[in-house]
Amino acid sequence: MSIQNEYLNGLMERIIQRDPNEPEFHQAAREVLTSLAPVCNARPELIREGVMDCLVEPERTIKFRVPWEDDQGNIHVNRGYRIQFNSAIGPYKGGLRFHPSVNESIIKFLGFEQTFKNSLTGLPIGSGKGGSDFDPKGKSDSEVMRFCQSFMNELFKYIGPDTDVPAGDIGVGAREIGYLFGQYKRLCNEFTGVLTGKGLSYGGSLARKEATGYGLCYFTDNMLSDAGRSFDGATVIISGSGNVATYACEKATQLGGKVVAMSDSNGYVYDKEGIDLALIKQIKEVERKRIKEYVQRKPSAQYFEGCSKIWTIPCHIALPCATQNELNGEAAKALIANGCFAVAEGANMPCTPEAVEAIQEAGVLFAPAKAANAGGVAVSALEMSQNSMRFSWSFEEVDSRLKTIMTDLYHNASNAATQYGMPGNLVAGANISGFLKIADSMLAYGLV
Ligand code: NDP
C-alpha cells in the first residue's frame, strides 16, 4: 500500500535509510503514515511544523547492560532497553518485555504503537516501551529476582511517577513487577506509583490483570454489534495462553462465545468441547508448564506441535493474543475460507500487513491492536490515578470504567474513519483518532 502524500513517502524512505535493521519499526511506521496521509493533506502545517518528523523519532532511547548471577554462580550479561517515545500528552507509559527476541527494533515499534494507543484511551499518558533479551523461562525465582534487581539498578535513574511509569508485557507478570518495584522502592526510598500491574497488597488495581483481555472483548463486542453480530454462539480461537489470552478467553466465554483453541510458543490445543480455562490457568499461571499438559488431563482434546496451524481450525472470531506477526497472509486466507467474520488483535501487531489486507479485502471485521488491546494501559492509568489518590476502587468500578473507555474508543475510531472517507476501516480510524490529540499538543508546544 503506497502512502498518498509525497512528503510522508520521503519520510518513510528516510526512516528506512537511517535505521535499515529495524523491520518491525518500518512495518508499524508505514501503516501509521499511510493512515495519516489524508490528515496531512488536509492540514499541511503538521508537516511544516515538524510534527510528522518528530512523531517517528523517539524522544529518548536508553540502552544498558544488565549483569546478573545464576544459581550456579555463573555471570550473564543481558541488554536492557527503555525507549521514551512521546510525552506530548502525559508521562511515558508502556510495558517491559523480557524475551530472547527483544531488540531495539521491537521495542521501538512497540513504543511507537503505544503513542497512539495511549492517546486513544482518552487518558493523559504518553508512550514508552522497554525490556530485555533475558528469557525468564526455565529460570528459578531467585535468578529472576536477581535479574530484575540488576535491571532496575539502571532503569530507576530514568523513571518516576510523573516521568515514566513502566508496566508488564511478555515475560513480565506479577512476579517480575514485584521484584522491580521492590528494588525501585529500595533505591529511591519512596513508595510511589512508579510501576503498574503491581500486586493488590502494594498499590495494584483490581481488574488490571483482566484488563487487556476483557477490554479486547468489550471492543470486539461493540464492533460486532455495529455489524449485527455478537459473541453469542460464536466459535472463537485465541492464540497464546498468557495474560491477554487467558482473560480474553474468560470474557469471550462470558459473552456467550465458545473458545475451542489456545496455544503457547510450542504448539496449540484444540478442544471441541470448549477450552477448560480453569485448567489452562492451573497449567500456565500456577504451574508455569507447557500447554501440551492440557491433553494429559483432558484426553478428549488434541495437541498439535507448532503454532501457525491454529488458524486453520474453523471459527467465527479469531483473537490473536500471543506476539507480533503470528498471523500471516496464508493464515488469514484459511480463516476467511472457513467463514471467520471477525479478527481482533489482542497482541501487538500480530497480523502481518498481507494478513490485514486479505482480511479487509474479504470484508471480515478487523480490530487493530492499538485500539483493541488498549484496555491494559487504560487500567494502568486508572492504577496511577488510584495511587495518586491513595485510594482503591472496587473491581466493578474499574471494570465499568474499562467498559466505557473501550466503548468510547471504538466509536471514536469508527467516527474518525468515516470522517476521513474510510468507513469501517478501524486501522485508519484508530491511527487518526489517536494522532489528532498528540498532534495538537505538539503544535501547542512549538518545536521542542
Ligand atoms: P505473556 O507473556 O503473559 O503471554 C504471551 C503468550 O504468547 C504465551 O502464551 C507465550 O507462550 C506466547 N508467545 C510468546 N512469544 C511467542 C512466539 N514468538 N510465538 C508464539 N507464541 C509466543 O504476555 P502477554 O499476554 O502480556 O502479552 C501478549 C501480547 O499482548 C504481546 O504482544 C503484548 O505486547 C500484548 N499486550 C499485552 C498487554 C498486557 O496488559 N499484558 C497490553 C497490551 C498488549 P510461552 O508461554 O510459550 O512463552
Side-chain angles (χ1 to χ4, degrees):
M1 211 192 306
S2 67
I3 303 173
Q4 302 294 311
N5 176 290
E6 203 182 321
Y7 186 85
L8 295 185
N9 251 318
L11 179 58
M12 190 64 232
E13 275 169 30
R14 290 198 296 284
I15 289 171
I16 296 169
Q17 272 165 13
R18 188 181 256 185
D19 297 301
N21 301 319
E22 297 184 348
E24 291 85 1
F25 180 62
H26 301 161
Q27 186 179 332
R30 182 177 295 283
E31 185 217 89
V32 168
L33 294 182
T34 303
S35 301
L36 297 184
V39 184
C40 291
N41 293 338
R43 293 183 56 183
E45 78 274 15
L46 293 170
I47 290 174
R48 202 174 54 237
E49 302 294 328
V51 170
M52 301 312 292
D53 285 67
C54 285
L55 190 75
V56 294
E57 188 65 25
E59 288 178 23
R60 195 170 298 107
T61 298
I62 301 147
K63 196 165 157 183
F64 49 98
R65 73 168 179 236
V66 190
W68 60 280
E69 192 177 351
D70 68 21
D71 290 342
Q72 286 69 45
N74 303 309
I75 304 299
H76 302 265
V77 180
N78 283 92
R79 192 169 271 179
Y81 301 90
R82 185 70 183 166
I83 296 193
Q84 298 179 327
F85 220 105
N86 193 308
S87 62
I89 60 167
Y92 308 108
K93 178 98 201 80
L96 298 171
R97 176 178 292 192
F98 293 169
H99 193 272
S101 64
V102 161
N103 57 40
E104 199 166 326
S105 171
I106 287 182
I107 299 299
K108 199 166 153 187
F109 114 68
L110 289 165
F112 181 65
E113 293 280 288
Q114 200 83 41
T115 308
F116 306 91
K117 181 187 308 191
N118 292 4
S119 170
L120 279 165
T121 65
L123 301 168
I125 36 178
S127 61
K129 199 83 189 185
S132 172
D133 56 3
F134 172 75
D135 187 0
K137 225 176 280 165
K139 307 287 189 304
S140 69
D141 285 352
S142 310
E143 289 172 332
V144 171
M145 179 187 75
R146 286 194 292 275
F147 176 81
C148 288
Q149 291 174 341
S150 178
F151 187 85
M152 188 52 83
N153 284 344
E154 185 61 25
L155 186 70
F156 88 98
K157 299 168 191 165
Y158 308 101
I159 62 175
D162 295 316
T163 311
D164 183 351
V165 184
D169 190 72
I170 291 179
V172 179
R175 174 183 61 171
E176 290 76 15
I177 293 289
Y179 295 142
L180 290 162
F181 183 75
Q183 187 69 351
Y184 181 88
K185 194 168 74 60
R186 192 173 295 129
L187 289 165
C188 297
N189 194 28
E190 57 182 39
F191 195 112
T192 55
V194 72
L195 286 152
T196 57
K198 298 186 290 296
L200 294 177
S201 61
Y202 60 94
S205 172
L206 285 161
R208 172 60 188 90
K209 185 173 70 170
E210 292 83 357
T212 310
Y214 276 26
L216 169 68
C217 292
Y218 293 146
F219 185 95
T220 307
D221 204 30
N222 275 286
M223 177 177 76
L224 292 170
S225 158
D226 257 6
R229 301 207 183 248
S230 82
F231 270 105
D232 201 20
T235 301
V236 184
I237 291 181
I238 300 180
S239 61
S241 47
N243 174 265
V244 180
T246 299
Y247 293 96
C249 180
E250 188 161 289
K251 186 51 75 180
T253 308
Q254 285 171 13
L255 292 172
K258 182 178 176 188
V259 180
V260 295
M262 289 181 81
S263 63
D264 64 15
S265 54
N266 292 107
Y268 64 93
V269 287
Y270 172 51
D271 187 342
K272 60 180 184 318
E273 289 168 13
I275 288 285
D276 178 346
L277 188 61
L279 181 54
I280 292 279
K281 284 185 183 175
Q282 175 65 25
I283 294 167
K284 298 302 289 186
E285 282 183 357
V286 181
E287 300 174 19
R288 292 181 186 274
K289 288 192 172 150
R290 312 309 301 156
I291 205 164
K292 79 169 158 205
E293 286 281 322
Y294 187 94
V295 293
Q296 308 292 326
R297 301 179 210 182
K298 199 141 185 280
S300 59
Q302 292 168 279
Y303 174 74
F304 299 89
E305 204 58 46
C307 303
S308 60
K309 292 279 184 292
I310 190 172
W311 309 116
T312 63
I313 300 170
C315 71
H316 301 113
I317 300 171
L319 305 177
C321 295
T323 193
Q324 65 273 357
N325 292 327
E326 53 161 313
L327 197 164
N328 61 18
E330 201 184 320
K333 284 183 193 134
L335 284 170
I336 295 160
N338 284 329
C340 172
F341 56 68
V343 178
E345 297 186 314
N348 282 314
M349 208 167 75
C351 297
T352 64
E354 297 73 32
V356 177
E357 207 178 324
I359 290 164
Q360 289 181 322
E361 266 177 19
V364 171
L365 301 169
F366 180 68
K370 61 171 76 70
N373 74 18
V377 76
V379 172
S380 275
L382 299 181
E383 182 174 329
M384 289 164 72
S385 304
Q386 293 170 81
N387 291 162
S388 299
M389 292 188 292
R390 307 252 188 256
F391 185 75
S392 313
W393 290 319
S394 66
F395 185 96
E396 291 70 27
E397 167 88 43
V398 179
D399 188 34
S400 133
R401 285 176 187 265
L402 168 66
K403 202 168 178 179
T404 305
I405 289 169
M406 297 311 293
T407 301
D408 290 350
L409 201 162
Y410 167 74
H411 289 294
N412 290 341
S414 175
N415 293 342
T418 305
Q419 192 190 336
Y420 281 88
M422 296 168 274
N425 184 343
L426 295 173
V427 175
N431 285 332
I432 294 168
S433 167
F435 168 71
L436 290 173
K437 187 169 146 194
I438 295 163
D440 288 338
S441 307
M442 289 171 82
L443 280 173
Y445 298 142
L447 197 57
V448 282

mmCIF file of all heavy atoms in Angstrom, residues 97 99 110 117 129 137 168-171 208 212 240-245 263-266 284 290 307 321-324 346-348 373 376, ligand 1:
data_model
loop_
_atom_site.group_PDB
_atom_site.id
_atom_site.type_symbol
_atom_site.label_atom_id
_atom_site.label_comp_id
_atom_site.label_asym_id
_atom_site.label_seq_id
_atom_site.Cartn_x
_atom_site.Cartn_y
_atom_site.Cartn_z
ATOM 1 N N ARG A 97 9.191 -5.834 28.274
ATOM 2 C CA ARG A 97 9.118 -7.201 27.731
ATOM 3 C C ARG A 97 10.433 -7.922 27.978
ATOM 4 O O ARG A 97 11.498 -7.404 27.608
ATOM 5 C CB ARG A 97 8.831 -7.130 26.222
ATOM 6 C CG ARG A 97 8.826 -8.490 25.547
ATOM 7 C CD ARG A 97 8.486 -8.414 24.067
ATOM 8 N NE ARG A 97 7.099 -8.005 23.844
ATOM 9 C CZ ARG A 97 6.482 -8.085 22.664
ATOM 10 N NH1 ARG A 97 7.129 -8.546 21.601
ATOM 11 N NH2 ARG A 97 5.244 -7.681 22.537
ATOM 12 N N HIS A 99 12.115 -11.205 26.766
ATOM 13 C CA HIS A 99 12.010 -12.328 25.817
ATOM 14 C C HIS A 99 13.292 -12.341 24.985
ATOM 15 O O HIS A 99 13.810 -11.270 24.641
ATOM 16 C CB HIS A 99 10.773 -12.131 24.912
ATOM 17 C CG HIS A 99 10.406 -13.353 24.118
ATOM 18 N ND1 HIS A 99 10.943 -13.623 22.885
ATOM 19 C CD2 HIS A 99 9.571 -14.384 24.400
ATOM 20 C CE1 HIS A 99 10.446 -14.764 22.428
ATOM 21 N NE2 HIS A 99 9.609 -15.244 23.331
ATOM 22 N N LEU A 110 7.052 -1.127 19.361
ATOM 23 C CA LEU A 110 6.057 -1.196 20.436
ATOM 24 C C LEU A 110 5.841 0.188 21.058
ATOM 25 O O LEU A 110 4.707 0.578 21.346
ATOM 26 C CB LEU A 110 6.505 -2.200 21.508
ATOM 27 C CG LEU A 110 6.447 -3.681 21.081
ATOM 28 C CD1 LEU A 110 7.240 -4.563 22.045
ATOM 29 C CD2 LEU A 110 4.998 -4.177 20.986
ATOM 30 N N LYS A 117 -2.049 4.289 20.905
ATOM 31 C CA LYS A 117 -2.908 3.520 21.813
ATOM 32 C C LYS A 117 -3.225 4.328 23.065
ATOM 33 O O LYS A 117 -4.376 4.445 23.474
ATOM 34 C CB LYS A 117 -2.172 2.228 22.198
ATOM 35 C CG LYS A 117 -2.951 1.335 23.118
ATOM 36 C CD LYS A 117 -2.119 0.161 23.593
ATOM 37 C CE LYS A 117 -1.479 -0.574 22.428
ATOM 38 N NZ LYS A 117 -0.890 -1.855 22.804
ATOM 39 N N LYS A 129 8.314 2.149 25.930
ATOM 40 C CA LYS A 129 8.351 0.685 25.980
ATOM 41 C C LYS A 129 9.770 0.291 26.360
ATOM 42 O O LYS A 129 10.718 1.036 26.090
ATOM 43 C CB LYS A 129 7.990 0.095 24.612
ATOM 44 C CG LYS A 129 7.570 -1.347 24.662
ATOM 45 C CD LYS A 129 6.105 -1.512 25.031
ATOM 46 C CE LYS A 129 5.767 -2.971 25.282
ATOM 47 N NZ LYS A 129 4.318 -3.170 25.515
ATOM 48 N N LYS A 137 12.023 -17.872 31.101
ATOM 49 C CA LYS A 137 11.590 -19.268 31.049
ATOM 50 C C LYS A 137 12.704 -20.195 31.556
ATOM 51 O O LYS A 137 13.865 -20.050 31.158
ATOM 52 C CB LYS A 137 11.245 -19.635 29.613
ATOM 53 C CG LYS A 137 9.950 -20.412 29.513
ATOM 54 C CD LYS A 137 9.580 -20.666 28.063
ATOM 55 C CE LYS A 137 8.935 -19.452 27.433
ATOM 56 N NZ LYS A 137 8.867 -19.505 25.987
ATOM 57 N N GLY A 168 3.967 -4.356 32.812
ATOM 58 C CA GLY A 168 4.386 -5.658 32.288
ATOM 59 C C GLY A 168 4.114 -5.791 30.802
ATOM 60 O O GLY A 168 3.488 -4.938 30.182
ATOM 61 N N ASP A 169 4.615 -6.866 30.238
ATOM 62 C CA ASP A 169 4.337 -7.259 28.852
ATOM 63 C C ASP A 169 4.753 -8.730 28.791
ATOM 64 O O ASP A 169 4.810 -9.399 29.842
ATOM 65 C CB ASP A 169 5.131 -6.380 27.868
ATOM 66 C CG ASP A 169 4.714 -6.573 26.413
ATOM 67 O OD1 ASP A 169 3.618 -6.120 26.038
ATOM 68 O OD2 ASP A 169 5.460 -7.208 25.639
ATOM 69 N N ILE A 170 5.100 -9.231 27.622
ATOM 70 C CA ILE A 170 5.510 -10.632 27.527
ATOM 71 C C ILE A 170 6.659 -10.893 28.510
ATOM 72 O O ILE A 170 7.638 -10.147 28.546
ATOM 73 C CB ILE A 170 5.960 -10.969 26.081
ATOM 74 C CG1 ILE A 170 4.751 -10.946 25.139
ATOM 75 C CG2 ILE A 170 6.646 -12.327 26.029
ATOM 76 C CD1 ILE A 170 5.083 -11.235 23.686
ATOM 77 N N GLY A 171 6.526 -11.934 29.305
ATOM 78 C CA GLY A 171 7.598 -12.336 30.230
ATOM 79 C C GLY A 171 7.694 -11.481 31.483
ATOM 80 O O GLY A 171 8.553 -11.731 32.336
ATOM 81 N N ARG A 208 -6.745 -5.023 36.849
ATOM 82 C CA ARG A 208 -5.636 -4.766 35.923
ATOM 83 C C ARG A 208 -5.247 -6.048 35.194
ATOM 84 O O ARG A 208 -4.980 -6.039 33.994
ATOM 85 C CB ARG A 208 -4.409 -4.174 36.661
ATOM 86 C CG ARG A 208 -3.147 -4.053 35.778
ATOM 87 C CD ARG A 208 -3.384 -3.141 34.576
ATOM 88 N NE ARG A 208 -2.314 -3.111 33.582
ATOM 89 C CZ ARG A 208 -2.224 -3.921 32.523
ATOM 90 N NH1 ARG A 208 -3.118 -4.878 32.321
ATOM 91 N NH2 ARG A 208 -1.241 -3.777 31.653
ATOM 92 N N THR A 212 -6.598 -6.221 29.725
ATOM 93 C CA THR A 212 -6.333 -6.251 28.279
ATOM 94 C C THR A 212 -7.273 -7.240 27.583
ATOM 95 O O THR A 212 -7.883 -6.923 26.557
ATOM 96 C CB THR A 212 -4.863 -6.593 27.992
ATOM 97 O OG1 THR A 212 -4.043 -5.745 28.789
ATOM 98 C CG2 THR A 212 -4.519 -6.395 26.531
ATOM 99 N N GLY A 240 -1.971 -17.941 22.053
ATOM 100 C CA GLY A 240 -1.348 -17.572 23.324
ATOM 101 C C GLY A 240 -2.120 -18.186 24.483
ATOM 102 O O GLY A 240 -3.263 -18.683 24.307
ATOM 103 N N SER A 241 -1.480 -18.161 25.646
ATOM 104 C CA SER A 241 -2.149 -18.617 26.875
ATOM 105 C C SER A 241 -1.544 -17.841 28.033
ATOM 106 O O SER A 241 -1.436 -18.330 29.150
ATOM 107 C CB SER A 241 -1.961 -20.121 27.074
ATOM 108 O OG SER A 241 -0.594 -20.468 26.887
ATOM 109 N N GLY A 242 -1.116 -16.621 27.717
ATOM 110 C CA GLY A 242 -0.564 -15.745 28.742
ATOM 111 C C GLY A 242 -1.637 -14.820 29.278
ATOM 112 O O GLY A 242 -2.837 -15.130 29.224
ATOM 113 N N ASN A 243 -1.225 -13.667 29.759
ATOM 114 C CA ASN A 243 -2.155 -12.747 30.414
ATOM 115 C C ASN A 243 -3.298 -12.324 29.493
ATOM 116 O O ASN A 243 -4.473 -12.433 29.860
ATOM 117 C CB ASN A 243 -1.370 -11.520 30.919
ATOM 118 C CG ASN A 243 -2.291 -10.465 31.483
ATOM 119 O OD1 ASN A 243 -2.673 -9.537 30.783
ATOM 120 N ND2 ASN A 243 -2.699 -10.621 32.723
ATOM 121 N N VAL A 244 -2.983 -11.858 28.314
ATOM 122 C CA VAL A 244 -4.027 -11.326 27.425
ATOM 123 C C VAL A 244 -4.963 -12.452 26.982
ATOM 124 O O VAL A 244 -6.196 -12.338 27.064
ATOM 125 C CB VAL A 244 -3.398 -10.621 26.202
ATOM 126 C CG1 VAL A 244 -4.488 -10.075 25.290
ATOM 127 C CG2 VAL A 244 -2.462 -9.508 26.644
ATOM 128 N N ALA A 245 -4.370 -13.567 26.523
ATOM 129 C CA ALA A 245 -5.167 -14.683 26.014
ATOM 130 C C ALA A 245 -6.099 -15.248 27.087
ATOM 131 O O ALA A 245 -7.277 -15.523 26.828
ATOM 132 C CB ALA A 245 -4.228 -15.777 25.502
ATOM 133 N N SER A 263 -2.945 -21.557 22.563
ATOM 134 C CA SER A 263 -1.596 -22.029 22.230
ATOM 135 C C SER A 263 -0.543 -21.499 23.201
ATOM 136 O O SER A 263 -0.838 -20.644 24.038
ATOM 137 C CB SER A 263 -1.240 -21.565 20.808
ATOM 138 O OG SER A 263 -1.211 -20.152 20.756
ATOM 139 N N ASP A 264 0.684 -21.994 23.076
ATOM 140 C CA ASP A 264 1.846 -21.295 23.626
ATOM 141 C C ASP A 264 2.905 -21.299 22.529
ATOM 142 O O ASP A 264 2.586 -21.637 21.381
ATOM 143 C CB ASP A 264 2.310 -21.869 24.982
ATOM 144 C CG ASP A 264 2.810 -23.305 24.908
ATOM 145 O OD1 ASP A 264 3.084 -23.793 23.787
ATOM 146 O OD2 ASP A 264 2.911 -23.936 25.969
ATOM 147 N N SER A 265 4.147 -20.968 22.847
ATOM 148 C CA SER A 265 5.110 -20.821 21.757
ATOM 149 C C SER A 265 5.546 -22.171 21.181
ATOM 150 O O SER A 265 6.256 -22.205 20.181
ATOM 151 C CB SER A 265 6.315 -19.992 22.203
ATOM 152 O OG SER A 265 6.874 -20.549 23.355
ATOM 153 N N ASN A 266 5.109 -23.297 21.780
ATOM 154 C CA ASN A 266 5.468 -24.606 21.237
ATOM 155 C C ASN A 266 4.372 -25.233 20.371
ATOM 156 O O ASN A 266 4.679 -25.985 19.443
ATOM 157 C CB ASN A 266 5.790 -25.592 22.363
ATOM 158 C CG ASN A 266 7.060 -25.209 23.073
ATOM 159 O OD1 ASN A 266 7.004 -24.736 24.201
ATOM 160 N ND2 ASN A 266 8.195 -25.340 22.418
ATOM 161 N N LYS A 284 -0.690 -22.823 33.221
ATOM 162 C CA LYS A 284 0.164 -21.702 32.801
ATOM 163 C C LYS A 284 0.465 -20.726 33.942
ATOM 164 O O LYS A 284 1.592 -20.278 34.084
ATOM 165 C CB LYS A 284 -0.484 -20.954 31.621
ATOM 166 C CG LYS A 284 -0.669 -21.791 30.367
ATOM 167 C CD LYS A 284 0.616 -22.391 29.797
ATOM 168 C CE LYS A 284 1.532 -21.376 29.163
ATOM 169 N NZ LYS A 284 2.695 -22.002 28.498
ATOM 170 N N ARG A 290 3.984 -26.196 30.140
ATOM 171 C CA ARG A 290 3.647 -26.033 28.721
ATOM 172 C C ARG A 290 2.180 -26.405 28.479
ATOM 173 O O ARG A 290 1.627 -27.273 29.174
ATOM 174 C CB ARG A 290 4.551 -26.914 27.829
ATOM 175 C CG ARG A 290 6.026 -26.818 28.127
ATOM 176 C CD ARG A 290 6.528 -25.388 28.171
ATOM 177 N NE ARG A 290 6.314 -24.681 26.916
ATOM 178 C CZ ARG A 290 6.233 -23.350 26.813
ATOM 179 N NH1 ARG A 290 6.340 -22.583 27.882
ATOM 180 N NH2 ARG A 290 6.044 -22.790 25.645
ATOM 181 N N CYS A 307 2.809 -23.446 15.986
ATOM 182 C CA CYS A 307 1.712 -22.514 16.297
ATOM 183 C C CYS A 307 0.861 -22.128 15.095
ATOM 184 O O CYS A 307 -0.322 -21.841 15.243
ATOM 185 C CB CYS A 307 2.293 -21.220 16.874
ATOM 186 S SG CYS A 307 3.286 -21.516 18.323
ATOM 187 N N CYS A 321 -3.498 -13.364 20.329
ATOM 188 C CA CYS A 321 -3.108 -12.748 21.605
ATOM 189 C C CYS A 321 -1.717 -13.181 22.060
ATOM 190 O O CYS A 321 -1.431 -13.155 23.267
ATOM 191 C CB CYS A 321 -4.113 -13.111 22.692
ATOM 192 S SG CYS A 321 -5.765 -12.441 22.420
ATOM 193 N N ALA A 322 -0.842 -13.627 21.126
ATOM 194 C CA ALA A 322 0.480 -14.103 21.554
ATOM 195 C C ALA A 322 1.575 -13.075 21.275
ATOM 196 O O ALA A 322 2.135 -12.497 22.202
ATOM 197 C CB ALA A 322 0.798 -15.431 20.882
ATOM 198 N N THR A 323 1.855 -12.825 19.981
ATOM 199 C CA THR A 323 3.021 -11.976 19.687
ATOM 200 C C THR A 323 2.923 -11.372 18.287
ATOM 201 O O THR A 323 1.968 -11.663 17.556
ATOM 202 C CB THR A 323 4.312 -12.815 19.856
ATOM 203 O OG1 THR A 323 5.443 -11.949 19.882
ATOM 204 C CG2 THR A 323 4.481 -13.825 18.731
ATOM 205 N N GLN A 324 3.919 -10.548 17.922
ATOM 206 C CA GLN A 324 3.850 -9.864 16.626
ATOM 207 C C GLN A 324 4.034 -10.836 15.456
ATOM 208 O O GLN A 324 4.752 -11.821 15.564
ATOM 209 C CB GLN A 324 4.884 -8.724 16.526
ATOM 210 C CG GLN A 324 6.339 -9.115 16.540
ATOM 211 C CD GLN A 324 6.889 -9.230 17.943
ATOM 212 O OE1 GLN A 324 6.204 -8.968 18.910
ATOM 213 N NE2 GLN A 324 8.146 -9.647 18.053
ATOM 214 N N GLY A 346 -5.354 -8.948 19.969
ATOM 215 C CA GLY A 346 -5.072 -8.790 21.394
ATOM 216 C C GLY A 346 -3.598 -8.528 21.611
ATOM 217 O O GLY A 346 -3.205 -7.724 22.457
ATOM 218 N N ALA A 347 -2.744 -9.207 20.848
ATOM 219 C CA ALA A 347 -1.299 -8.954 20.905
ATOM 220 C C ALA A 347 -0.997 -7.681 20.118
ATOM 221 O O ALA A 347 -1.873 -7.137 19.434
ATOM 222 C CB ALA A 347 -0.547 -10.133 20.304
ATOM 223 N N ASN A 348 0.226 -7.195 20.213
ATOM 224 C CA ASN A 348 0.635 -6.034 19.423
ATOM 225 C C ASN A 348 1.098 -6.485 18.051
ATOM 226 O O ASN A 348 2.005 -7.313 17.942
ATOM 227 C CB ASN A 348 1.757 -5.283 20.150
ATOM 228 C CG ASN A 348 1.217 -4.438 21.286
ATOM 229 O OD1 ASN A 348 0.229 -3.727 21.113
ATOM 230 N ND2 ASN A 348 1.819 -4.539 22.458
ATOM 231 N N ASN A 373 -6.479 -3.562 22.043
ATOM 232 C CA ASN A 373 -5.837 -4.032 23.274
ATOM 233 C C ASN A 373 -5.457 -2.891 24.215
ATOM 234 O O ASN A 373 -4.645 -3.067 25.135
ATOM 235 C CB ASN A 373 -4.648 -4.965 22.970
ATOM 236 C CG ASN A 373 -3.412 -4.240 22.447
ATOM 237 O OD1 ASN A 373 -3.272 -3.029 22.600
ATOM 238 N ND2 ASN A 373 -2.500 -4.986 21.854
ATOM 239 N N GLY A 376 -5.523 -2.635 28.664
ATOM 240 C CA GLY A 376 -4.477 -2.857 29.675
ATOM 241 C C GLY A 376 -3.863 -1.554 30.129
ATOM 242 O O GLY A 376 -3.787 -1.255 31.334
HETATM 243 P P1 NDP B 1 2.536 -13.339 28.304
HETATM 244 O O1 NDP B 1 3.998 -13.474 28.455
HETATM 245 O O2 NDP B 1 1.668 -13.403 29.502
HETATM 246 O O3 NDP B 1 1.988 -14.409 27.266
HETATM 247 C C1 NDP B 1 2.475 -14.483 25.965
HETATM 248 C C2 NDP B 1 1.885 -15.696 25.304
HETATM 249 O O4 NDP B 1 2.269 -15.719 23.944
HETATM 250 C C3 NDP B 1 2.370 -17.005 25.899
HETATM 251 O O5 NDP B 1 1.392 -17.990 25.764
HETATM 252 C C4 NDP B 1 3.587 -17.294 25.045
HETATM 253 O O6 NDP B 1 3.928 -18.668 25.010
HETATM 254 C C5 NDP B 1 3.116 -16.846 23.684
HETATM 255 N N1 NDP B 1 4.252 -16.404 22.866
HETATM 256 C C6 NDP B 1 5.216 -15.510 23.204
HETATM 257 N N2 NDP B 1 6.107 -15.376 22.217
HETATM 258 C C7 NDP B 1 5.695 -16.188 21.237
HETATM 259 C C8 NDP B 1 6.195 -16.500 19.955
HETATM 260 N N3 NDP B 1 7.325 -15.938 19.492
HETATM 261 N N4 NDP B 1 5.497 -17.389 19.213
HETATM 262 C C9 NDP B 1 4.355 -17.957 19.683
HETATM 263 N N5 NDP B 1 3.852 -17.699 20.891
HETATM 264 C C10 NDP B 1 4.503 -16.843 21.653
HETATM 265 O O7 NDP B 1 2.313 -11.944 27.529
HETATM 266 P P2 NDP B 1 1.007 -11.066 27.422
HETATM 267 O O8 NDP B 1 -0.182 -11.928 27.373
HETATM 268 O O9 NDP B 1 1.098 -9.990 28.427
HETATM 269 O O10 NDP B 1 1.237 -10.352 26.013
HETATM 270 C C11 NDP B 1 0.816 -10.944 24.784
HETATM 271 C C12 NDP B 1 0.756 -9.893 23.704
HETATM 272 O O11 NDP B 1 -0.171 -8.852 24.109
HETATM 273 C C13 NDP B 1 2.053 -9.150 23.408
HETATM 274 O O12 NDP B 1 2.082 -8.784 22.038
HETATM 275 C C14 NDP B 1 1.940 -7.891 24.245
HETATM 276 O O13 NDP B 1 2.754 -6.847 23.753
HETATM 277 C C15 NDP B 1 0.473 -7.594 24.080
HETATM 278 N N6 NDP B 1 -0.107 -6.730 25.092
HETATM 279 C C16 NDP B 1 -0.081 -7.079 26.414
HETATM 280 C C17 NDP B 1 -0.684 -6.262 27.347
HETATM 281 C C18 NDP B 1 -0.795 -6.656 28.780
HETATM 282 O O14 NDP B 1 -1.502 -5.943 29.529
HETATM 283 N N7 NDP B 1 -0.187 -7.744 29.225
HETATM 284 C C19 NDP B 1 -1.278 -4.972 26.967
HETATM 285 C C20 NDP B 1 -1.335 -4.734 25.541
HETATM 286 C C21 NDP B 1 -0.721 -5.586 24.671
HETATM 287 P P3 NDP B 1 5.031 -19.247 26.039
HETATM 288 O O15 NDP B 1 4.301 -19.458 27.325
HETATM 289 O O16 NDP B 1 5.474 -20.498 25.382
HETATM 290 O O17 NDP B 1 6.103 -18.222 26.125
#
